[in-house]
Amino acid sequence: MKEVLKVEGLTKSFKLSKKQQKLENTDTKIKTAVKGLSFSAFEGEIFGLLGPNGAGKTTTLRMLATLIKPDSGDAFINGTSVVKEPEKVREKMGFLTSELKLEEFFTPNFLYDFFSDMHKIPDDVREKRKEELFKKFGIDKFAEVKTANLSTGMKQKTSLVVSVAHDPDIIIFDEPTNGLDVITAKVVTDFLLELKAQGKTIIVSTHIFSLVEKICDRAGIIIDGEMILCDRIDSLTKEKNLEDLFFELYFQRKGGDI
Amino acid sequence: MKNGTLVVFKKEMARFLGDKRLFFTTVILPGLMIFIMYSIMGQSMSSLVKDSVEKQYNTYIVNMPAVVSRLLEESNFDVTEIAENEIDGTKDKLKSKDADLLVVFPADFEKNIASFGQEGREIPYVEVYYYSSNMVSSAAYSRITALFDEMEQGISNVFDVNPDTENTMYDVATDEDTTGTLFASILPMVLLMLIYSSCMAIAPESIAGEKERGTFAAMLLTPVPRGQIALGKVLALSAMALLGGISSCVGTILSMPSLMGDVMESGDGMSISLSAYTPGDYAGLIVIILSTVILFITIISVLSAYAKTVKEASTLVLPVMLLVMFAGLSSIYSSEAKTEIYWYLVPILNSVQSLIGIFARSTGTVNIAVTAGVNIVVSAIGMLILRQMFNSEKIMFAR
Ligand SMILES: Nc1ncnc2c1ncn2[C@@H]1O[C@H](COP(=O)(O)OP(=O)(O)O)[C@@H](O)[C@H]1O
Ligand SMILES: [Mg+2]
C-alpha cells in the first residue's frame, strides 16, 4: 500500500489574547492546540481523526492544507513537504470545511470555472468534469443561479464540487456532515466512498463515532492535541464499540472526571 | 498557460461589472453627483453675483455734496439723505439688511475741496459703512469706493493709470492662462479626494470583506502564489477606481462652465476654455492619475488586509483620507507648482504638485516622470507587503 500522507510530529500553539484567555478559562498565554502528532494515511483509504471539540482536529487539518504553518514537525503528501513546498501540495490536495465559503455573488458555473482556472486546468478537461459533477449532484439545473439564492444543501454541494474541481489525489474534509440535513449528509458520505473507490486518499475529522465506523478504514483518536490511539477500525472495535473505547481512553486520561 | 494574476483580475472585474448597483454607485454616481452639485453651485453663485451687480443699492448719505449727488443721479444707488444724528440708527439698518450702504461726508466737504492746493488745508475723511455678510452691501461698497477714487483723481490728476479700458486689454493673460490658474487652485484637491473615495468604496470590500466572509481562504488554497493574488486584486481594483475617477473628472469638467464660466463672465469677461490643454497635458494627467490610483489602492489594500472586518477597514483608511486632504490643501494656497525635485519624491504630495503643474500648464516632464516613478515604486513595495500579509496566518486567519 502506498503511503500518500505522512505526518511527523506536528506541533502548533497559539498566543491567546486576553479575550481568548477568558473564553478558554485559562491564565496561560500560550495554548498548544496540537502536540507532536504523527500518523500516516494510505492510497485508497479513508482516515478519520476522531476527537471531542477543541481536541485540535481543525488545527491539524489546516496545517495539512497549508493554510497555517506548524511550529515544528512536518507532513508529506506523496513526499512533498507542506512546510517547504506548500504551492506544490495545493495542486494535488482538496480541502473542505464549513469555514470556507463561496462568494455568494457568483453562480456555481462561474465559481467552478474560477477555481479550475486557479488550478490551471485546461478548458476541455474542465468542461467535461464540470458536466459530470454538476449532473451527479443535481447542480446542473442551478448552474446559473447566484449562490446566494441556492438552498443550503445546494450551496454545500457546490462547495464540495468546487473543492474537487482539480481532481486532487488527497481530499481533506473537516467535519464533513456537520450541519447537513440527512439527505445531503448521505450524498456527501456516498461521494467520499466513491472517491475512495477511485483510489483517492481521504482524511476526515469528526466527533461522530458512527460516521467513523461507517466510512473510515483507519482512525486516530486525539484528545488535547495528542494522538492517543491510531489503528484500523476493525482492530479498534474488536472488543468494544468505538464509543465505549473512546470514553474509556478519555476517562483514563482525564482521571475520571469530566 | 493560465496566469493566476489574470484569473484573479477577471474574477474581480466580473464581480464588479456584474453588479449593476455596485457599478452604478462607484462609476456613474460620483460623476453625476459632482455634475449636479457643481452645476447648482455655479448657478446659485452666478445668480448671486448678478443680483448684487444689478440691484438697486439702498444708500444713505450724510452731508451729501452736490458733486456726489450729480455723480449718483443716474446710477443704481438709491440715495436717501439723512442727518448726522441718524448715523447710528442707519448702522443698525445695515445689519438688518434694510440699508446697503452708509456714506458720511464731513459738513465742510465742498468748501474744503474747493480750497484744494492751498497751504494748511486739512484732508477730509469720507467714511463708507457697509455689511460684509450682505453680498449686495459688499458689491455696493466696492462700486462706490471705485467711484470715489475716480472722483478724487478727477480733482487731483497727477497721472492716469490704465485710462483706455475701452480699447486696450490691460490684462495680458490669455483665456488659457486664466483657465490654468482657476483649475490649478481647486481641481487637484477635488480630484484626489474623489479618487481616494472611489478607492475607499471598493478596496475594503474586496479584501477585508472576503476575509470576513471566509471566501479569501478558498483562494489561498489554490496553488496560485500569494503575490499573484495580490497583484490581480490590486490591478482590478485600480481599474475600477480609475473608472470612478474618470467619471468624477468628466463630471467636474462638464460642470466647469456653469461653475466658473458665468461667474467670470459677469466679472470681466474671462472665460474657461478646455482647449487650453495640449495632448501632452492630457497624457501627463493620465499618467499621474493612473499611478496615483494604483498607489491609493495599494495603501488601502494593505490597511484592509490588516483589518478583520470591512467596518474596521473603513475606519483604518480614514486617516489617510485626511493626509490626502491636507496635501490637496497645499494647492489652494499656491496655484503655482513647485519646481524643486524633492517635492516630487513624497507620495501624495507629488501627485498634488504634478496636478497643479498640469492644470496651470507649467510642469516639467521630469517632475511628472519622477512622480509616476515614485508612486509605482511605493506601490510595488506595498504589493510586497501585501503578499507577505496574504502569507501570514496571523493576518489572514486571526480570531
Ligand atoms: N487561531 C487560534 N488562536 C487561538 N487559539 C486557537 C486558534 N485556533 C484554534 N485554537 C484553539 O486550539 C484548540 C484546538 O482547536 P481546534 O483545532 O479548532 O479543535 P477541534 O477542531 O478539534 O474542535 C482550541 O482550544 C482552540 O480554541
Ligand atoms: Mg473543528
Side-chain angles (χ1 to χ4, degrees):
Chain A
M1 256 197 314
K2 192 179 157 208
E3 192 183 50
V4 174
L5 172 68
K6 187 174 175 60
V7 179
E8 286 180 347
L10 276 188
T11 300
K12 180 75 185 177
S13 48
F14 296 105
K15 275 203 193 74
L16 295 183
S17 62
K18 284 263 146 55
K19 208 170 104 200
Q20 285 169 325
Q21 283 179 21
K22 221 171 253 167
L23 278 174
E24 302 254 331
N25 202 7
T26 167
D27 289 336
T28 47
K29 284 210 175 61
I30 306 264
K31 161 91 194 178
T32 307
V34 178
K35 300 168 192 162
L37 211 65
S38 301
F39 64 94
S40 293
F42 301 92
E43 189 174 38
E45 78 168 12
I46 301 182
F47 183 94
L49 273 179
L50 181 65
N53 274 343
K57 304 181 296 293
T58 301
T59 306
T60 305
L61 297 191
R62 287 174 138 204
M63 285 189 279
L64 299 183
T66 73
L67 286 179
I68 61 177
K69 283 204 162 30
D71 301 340
S72 64
D74 202 346
F76 301 89
I77 288 171
N78 284 324
T80 311
S81 155
V82 297
V83 177
K84 295 193 190 81
E85 293 182 277
E87 274 157 24
K88 205 171 153 204
V89 167
R90 285 179 210 131
E91 282 173 16
K92 281 291 158 199
M93 184 206 61
F95 180 51
L96 196 57
T97 114
S98 54
E99 295 157 59
L100 294 181
K101 300 270 165 45
L102 296 176
E103 276 188 79
E104 300 232 310
F105 175 79
F106 294 118
T107 63
N109 188 28
F110 184 95
L111 287 166
Y112 187 96
D113 288 357
F114 171 65
F115 283 101
S116 281
D117 290 347
M118 291 291 272
H119 281 280
K120 301 192 185 351
I121 308 294
D123 287 359
D124 52 334
V125 178
R126 178 190 76 198
E127 289 306 313
K128 203 165 146 262
R129 193 168 158 78
K130 181 167 66 180
E131 202 188 315
E132 269 170 38
L133 285 169
F134 275 25
K135 206 154 163 203
K136 184 200 301 269
F137 289 96
I139 303 171
D140 45 355
K141 292 186 272 318
F142 305 96
E144 295 303 340
V145 177
K146 268 189 190 176
T147 312
N149 299 331
L150 294 178
S151 68
T152 316
M154 197 53 71
K155 272 183 204 167
Q156 280 152 341
K157 286 184 212 166
T158 307
S159 292
L160 179 66
V161 164
V162 162
S163 71
V164 296
H166 55 299
D167 197 14
D169 294 336
I170 177 165
I171 294 123
I172 299 172
F173 215 149
D174 193 16
E175 308 273 5
T177 55
N178 242 21
L180 303 192
D181 67 275
V182 284
I183 311 286
T184 318
K186 166 106 176 104
V187 172
V188 169
T189 47
D190 284 353
F191 185 56
L192 290 180
L193 291 169
E194 198 184 316
L195 288 169
K196 172 190 156 176
Q198 288 169 19
K200 310 286 188 194
T201 305
I202 295 142
I203 316 290
V204 297
S205 85
T206 185
H207 60 272
I208 303 167
F209 304 106
S210 60
L211 181 70
V212 176
E213 281 175 326
K214 206 155 84 204
I215 65 169
C216 293
D217 301 290
R218 294 187 321 117
I221 294 173
I222 53 173
I223 297 171
D224 288 342
E226 283 178 71
M227 184 71 86
I228 305 294
L229 194 61
C230 179
D231 207 343
R232 295 192 55 81
I233 298 296
D234 43 19
S235 324
L236 288 172
T237 53
K238 207 171 262 166
E239 285 163 20
K240 48 185 76 116
N241 70 30
L242 204 52
E243 187 167 349
D244 292 342
L245 174 71
F246 172 81
F247 283 114
E248 193 184 297
L249 292 169
Y250 191 82
F251 292 134
Q252 256 175 33
R253 193 182 160 79
K254 296 269 175 175
D257 53 276
I258 300 182
Chain B
M1 206 53 189
K2 287 172 180 169
N3 177 285
T5 306
L6 194 66
V7 175
V8 174
F9 179 86
K10 277 195 199 147
K11 184 213 93 180
E12 293 290 326
M13 289 313 279
R15 168 81 184 81
F16 182 68
L17 298 175
D19 192 336
K20 287 194 192 72
R21 244 181 49 198
L22 188 64
F23 184 81
F24 181 78
T25 48
T26 47
V27 178
I28 309 288
L29 204 58
L32 200 64
M33 290 261 295
I34 292 207
F35 178 71
I36 293 173
M37 228 171 63
Y38 280 11
S39 297
I40 291 174
M41 261 168 64
Q43 227 97 68
S44 54
M45 261 164 75
S46 67
S47 65
L48 269 178
V49 170
K50 271 202 192 99
D51 263 10
S52 51
V53 169
E54 283 163 13
K55 244 193 106 134
Q56 290 287 321
Y57 306 124
N58 249 330
T59 311
Y60 292 82
I61 299 185
V62 179
N63 298 326
M64 180 155 68
V67 262
V68 174
S69 164
R70 254 174 279 130
L71 190 69
L72 296 182
E73 218 157 53
E74 283 195 7
S75 66
N76 39 1
F77 288 93
D78 200 359
V79 180
T80 313
E81 284 197 65
I82 52 167
E84 273 178 32
N85 60 12
E86 287 172 276
I87 290 179
D88 286 336
T90 312
K91 281 184 188 168
D92 290 337
K93 275 192 188 171
L94 282 177
K95 278 190 199 153
S96 60
K97 299 189 184 177
D98 292 324
D100 297 321
L101 212 57
L102 166 64
V103 187
V104 181
F105 288 96
D108 59 349
F109 184 77
E110 274 179 298
K111 230 168 56 201
N112 189 316
I113 296 292
S115 67
F116 179 72
Q118 288 172 17
E119 289 276 321
R121 185 187 71 104
E122 242 178 71
I123 298 183
Y125 291 120
V126 178
E127 292 170 313
V128 182
Y129 296 92
Y130 71 109
Y131 184 49
S132 63
S133 301
N134 178 358
M135 288 271 296
V136 179
S137 178
S138 291
Y141 173 74
S142 51
R143 293 282 293 272
I144 205 135
T145 44
L147 273 177
F148 287 166
D149 265 347
E150 234 172 73
M151 195 176 101
E152 188 203 14
Q153 279 165 23
I155 296 168
S156 63
N157 202 348
V158 184
F159 63 85
D160 281 335
V161 177
N162 281 357
D164 188 12
T165 39
E166 293 284 308
N167 303 308
T168 316
M169 277 291 285
Y170 289 107
D171 185 357
V172 296
T174 58
D175 277 1
E176 276 78 10
D177 291 336
T178 313
T179 306
T181 36
L182 274 170
F183 267 74
S185 66
I186 57 161
L187 257 194
M189 173 153 118
V190 172
L191 210 53
L192 287 183
M193 298 281 292
L194 285 172
I195 292 174
Y196 191 82
S197 33
S198 279
C199 297
M200 228 167 75
I202 48 177
E205 171 55 36
S206 166
I207 293 182
E210 280 217 53
K211 231 175 96 171
E212 189 180 357
R213 290 190 298 270
T215 57
F216 212 120
M219 249 192 300
L220 295 179
L221 273 174
T222 66
V224 173
R226 270 65 164 147
Q228 287 183 19
I229 296 178
L231 187 62
K233 280 216 172 239
V234 166
L235 289 181
L237 291 171
S238 299
M240 300 169 208
L242 199 61
L243 285 178
I246 289 172
S247 151
S248 306
C249 282
V250 169
T252 311
I253 288 170
L254 288 183
S255 56
M256 271 300 155
S258 61
L259 180 60
M260 301 204 288
D262 283 0
V263 175
M264 297 319 295
E265 261 160 42
S266 62
D268 41 19
M270 287 189 253
S271 63
I272 305 299
S273 76
L274 286 176
S275 56
Y277 298 106
T278 65
D281 291 331
Y282 283 111
L285 185 65
I286 290 168
V287 168
I288 294 299
I289 289 185
L290 189 60
S291 67
T292 309
V293 163
I294 293 177
L295 176 73
F296 282 175
I297 285 289
T298 314
I299 294 173
I300 296 177
S301 295
V302 167
L303 293 173
S304 304
Y306 179 77
K308 288 193 179 99
T309 62
V310 178
K311 221 171 138 191
E312 194 186 337
S314 315
T315 317
L316 282 177
V317 299
L318 281 179
V320 184
M321 175 90 160
L322 287 181
L323 277 183
V324 173
M325 222 170 77
F326 282 127
L329 278 177
S330 68
S331 76
I332 288 184
Y333 293 119
S334 72
S335 57
E336 300 254 311
K338 306 273 192 284
T339 47
E340 300 89 348
I341 195 92
Y342 53 78
W343 284 94
Y344 297 86
L345 294 176
V346 186
I348 302 179
L349 210 54
N350 61 5
S351 299
V352 176
Q353 290 302 324
S354 295
L355 288 176
I356 298 176
I358 291 168
F359 291 132
R361 304 185 316 130
S362 63
T363 8
T365 319
V366 177
N367 287 342
I368 291 187
V370 169
T371 300
V374 167
N375 286 350
I376 295 301
V377 168
V378 174
S379 302
I381 295 170
M383 216 93 80
L384 291 178
I385 295 174
L386 198 58
R387 186 182 68 178
Q388 281 317 109
M389 293 175 91
F390 286 177
N391 257 319
S392 157
E393 61 182 69
K394 285 211 179 56
I395 283 169
M396 297 313 287
F397 302 106
R399 281 211 183 163

